[in-house]
Amino acid sequence: MHRFEPSAHVDTFARDHLPPQDHWPTMLWDSLPELKAYPKRLNCARELLDKQTEKYSNRPVIYYNDEVWTYQKLLETANRIAHVLVDDLGVQPGNRVLLRAPNNPMYVACWFAVMKVGAIAVATMPLYRWRELTFMADKAEIKIALCDWRLREEMETTLKESTHLQRCIYFHAEGPDSLEARMATKPVHFETVDTAWDDVCMIAFTSGTTGPAKGCMHFHRDVMAICDTFSRYVLKPNADDIFTGSPPIAFTFGLGALVTFPMHAGASTVLVELYNPQKMLETIQAKKVSVLFTAPTAYRAMTDMTKNYDISSLKKCVSAGETLPLPTWLGWYNATGIKIIDGLGSTEMLHIFVTSAGDDIRPGATGKPIPGFEARVVDDEGNPVPPGVIGKLAVRGPTGCRYLDNPERQNAYVRDGWNYTGDAYKCDEDGYFWYQARTDDMIVSAGYNISGPEVESVLMLHPLVQECAVVGAPDPERGQVVKAFVVLRDQTKACPETVKILQDFVKAEIAPYKYPRTVEFIAALPRTQTGKVQRFLLRQQA
């Protein structure tokens, strides 16, 4: 049983709404020397911003359009915002603050300001609408929001509809009530609140691929733990690295990739609000980016375009968000010579926990548990299965699932001290984990277990196919049949002849029983705000 450190929170909402400790996963808080060394009084803003500014004050931390923010500028801006939160808005330690903006420096400064005052950040995707925002504001009982002026429309509706949200201050705005106007009169010094290492500092809502978003509660020590596991042991950046990437900072993948990992190393990051593959390559070339985080679809789209750009500065590429198809990995490697680091992570675990890098990469495998984490493949009863047998992935480490006031989902995600990620995997004799499907994407057809992503990766090899998603469709004789939703490179080729070409192609590449018995051509795949394919919508359609 974990003994809590005395909290700095005046508002005890977060600790009051944590799941009972016997419903937590086993927390491997001492699994690495770095994790053992954390002091009991810990604030991640002090570690990542205050202390790093002492070392790197005049070094760039953020490049944004034509602006260059140094560590000193970010610290002073965050301190001024912290004064606005406390002096003008009455924010107390433990209060939740809703944050809303695209990837820009003011957003990062606001996030750190919330950390510094000992409050709790609830970051929201820019594309979320008022219904989703209202649900989050009321679930986390949020009174105050900081929002980019350009996103005010949905915010104003949320203020009207929410039973808790009372006030929003806008930045990138004009007028005396703007955040910039309020900051202008504030001092550049702010004493960071002395929080406990197990004080909740963020509530991250899942992207809703499987129904209503769930709030994942993470401590100050958890933010540091992802820096001291994935970043320190797998990514291994240094202070000269320049990061960029497409994930929203409101998404925990983006928070690590574009804020906490570079700052932990004293490095810098290039923030771009709207990325497409061409813009990404232009940015890598112009800013001499060395570390890139994005999704498999972006790597696939960029592969054919790399020859038009000088991306020789690029050293490390990370993919997460969904499974990385082997053809995409090979295409990028052949075009650039860079082995993509494929990572499996989740909002519940905060960041990546299974991956491999460099010479340890086995193409097609997700990898092995990273230092500090343990993983295994189990059957329906939770018993480990032999190598090569498909089962459910269970993981544990220094981070883990603690849902905000959601006992039903907590009990589904955490069993016997392990986090069940909802992924079906098999593990080989060498300890490499091979992704099969989401557990609800495993198709059982006439007694055969068929992995939807495996069929997808074969279809993606065909030159006619731009994108695809494979799900199980109900069938009276077989229980389910394999159904492929396909986006063609040339929409005019959507015809029965193309269906047969694709079916024959799959039969020739993998076991014939896995071929898609039905193929439906669509203009685009439905996706979440974080770029994941919403297969549950396709299953409903099927």
Side-chain angles (χ1 to χ4, degrees), residues 338-355:
I338 297 172
K339 298 176 177 181
I340 298 175
I341 299 169
D342 183 21
L344 174 67
S346 68
T347 309
E348 287 85 353
M349 302 295 291
L350 193 52
H351 218 273
I352 290 169
F353 47 81
V354 172
T355 188

Side-chain angles (χ1 to χ4, degrees), residues 249-428:
I249 300 171
F251 180 31
T252 58
F253 178 47
L255 178 70
L258 302 176
V259 181
T260 68
F261 295 167
M263 291 180 66
H264 187 250
S268 57
T269 189
V270 184
L271 296 184
V272 175
E273 291 190 355
L274 282 173
Y275 253 143
N276 58 37
Q278 182 180 340
K279 177 75 172 172
M280 212 175 283
L281 289 167
E282 288 170 359
T283 303
I284 295 165
Q285 175 177 287
K287 301 293 189 186
K288 300 288 181 273
V289 167
S290 58
V291 183
L292 174 66
F293 283 76
T294 191
T297 45
Y299 287 112
R300 183 170 169 83
M302 287 191 293
T303 297
D304 295 338
M305 301 160 64
T306 54
K307 56 185 175 293
N308 303 323
Y309 298 88
D310 175 8
I311 59 167
S312 56
S313 61
L314 199 58
K315 301 290 184 283
K316 291 165 189 169
C317 296
V318 182
S319 171
E322 25 185 35
T323 186
L324 176 67
L326 182 57
T328 303
W329 191 95
L330 290 170
W332 185 256
Y333 178 66
N334 291 334
T336 66
I338 297 172
K339 298 176 177 181
I340 298 175
I341 299 169
D342 183 21
L344 174 67
S346 68
T347 309
E348 287 85 353
M349 302 295 291
L350 193 52
H351 218 273
I352 290 169
F353 47 81
V354 172
T355 188
S356 291
D359 293 339
D360 292 331
I361 290 174
R362 190 165 287 188
T366 309
K368 295 181 174 183
I370 66 175
F373 288 82
E374 298 173 359
R376 62 187 193 180
V377 179
V378 300
D379 60 20
D380 288 345
E381 279 72 52
N383 304 307
V385 298
V389 175
I390 297 172
K392 295 176 176 176
L393 182 68
V395 297
R396 61 187 185 185
T399 61
C401 176
R402 293 176 296 258
Y403 284 136
L404 167 63
D405 194 22
N406 198 334
E408 186 183 339
R409 299 311 294 263
Q410 182 73 21
N411 292 339
Y413 202 93
V414 177
R415 280 174 269 164
D416 302 321
W418 293 82
N419 300 272
Y420 280 70
T421 64
D423 298 291
Y425 265 82
K426 62 183 178 184
C427 186
D428 65 20

Side-chain angles (χ1 to χ4, degrees), residues 209 321-323 435 437-438 440-441 452-453 456 468-472 485 525-528 531-542:
T209 45
E322 25 185 35
T323 186
Y435 180 75
R438 293 291 292 169
D440 47 11
D441 289 335
E456 289 170 12
C468 65
V470 170
V471 300
F485 290 88
L525 298 176
R527 293 185 180 275
T528 67
K532 295 180 186 177
V533 176
Q534 292 176 304
R535 286 179 175 77
F536 75 99
L537 292 179
L538 296 175
R539 277 196 294 275
Q540 289 169 5
Q541 200 172 319

Side-chain angles (χ1 to χ4, degrees), residues 64-65 100-107 126 147-155 170-173 273-274:
Y64 170 73
N65 296 335
R100 184 160 169 71
N103 288 4
N104 58 48
M106 277 297 286
Y107 179 94
C147 178
D148 193 305
W149 173 250
R150 294 165 294 172
L151 300 176
R152 67 189 177 281
E153 195 175 330
E154 298 294 331
M155 203 70 235
Y170 293 100
F171 51 92
H172 297 146
E273 291 190 355
L274 282 173

Side-chain angles (χ1 to χ4, degrees), residues 25-71:
T26 302
M27 306 301 297
L28 306 181
W29 280 341
D30 294 337
S31 53
L32 292 169
E34 293 84 2
L35 306 176
K36 279 185 184 176
Y38 291 156
K40 294 286 171 67
R41 308 308 297 180
L42 180 74
N43 185 305
C44 61
R46 184 185 292 133
E47 303 301 315
L48 294 169
L49 182 56
D50 301 4
K51 289 183 180 178
Q52 295 298 69
T53 301
E54 289 172 14
K55 286 191 272 189
Y56 304 109
S57 63
N58 293 316
R59 282 180 69 104
V61 64
I62 299 172
Y63 297 95
Y64 170 73
N65 296 335
D66 297 328
E67 298 175 31
V68 181
W69 284 46
T70 62
Y71 276 82

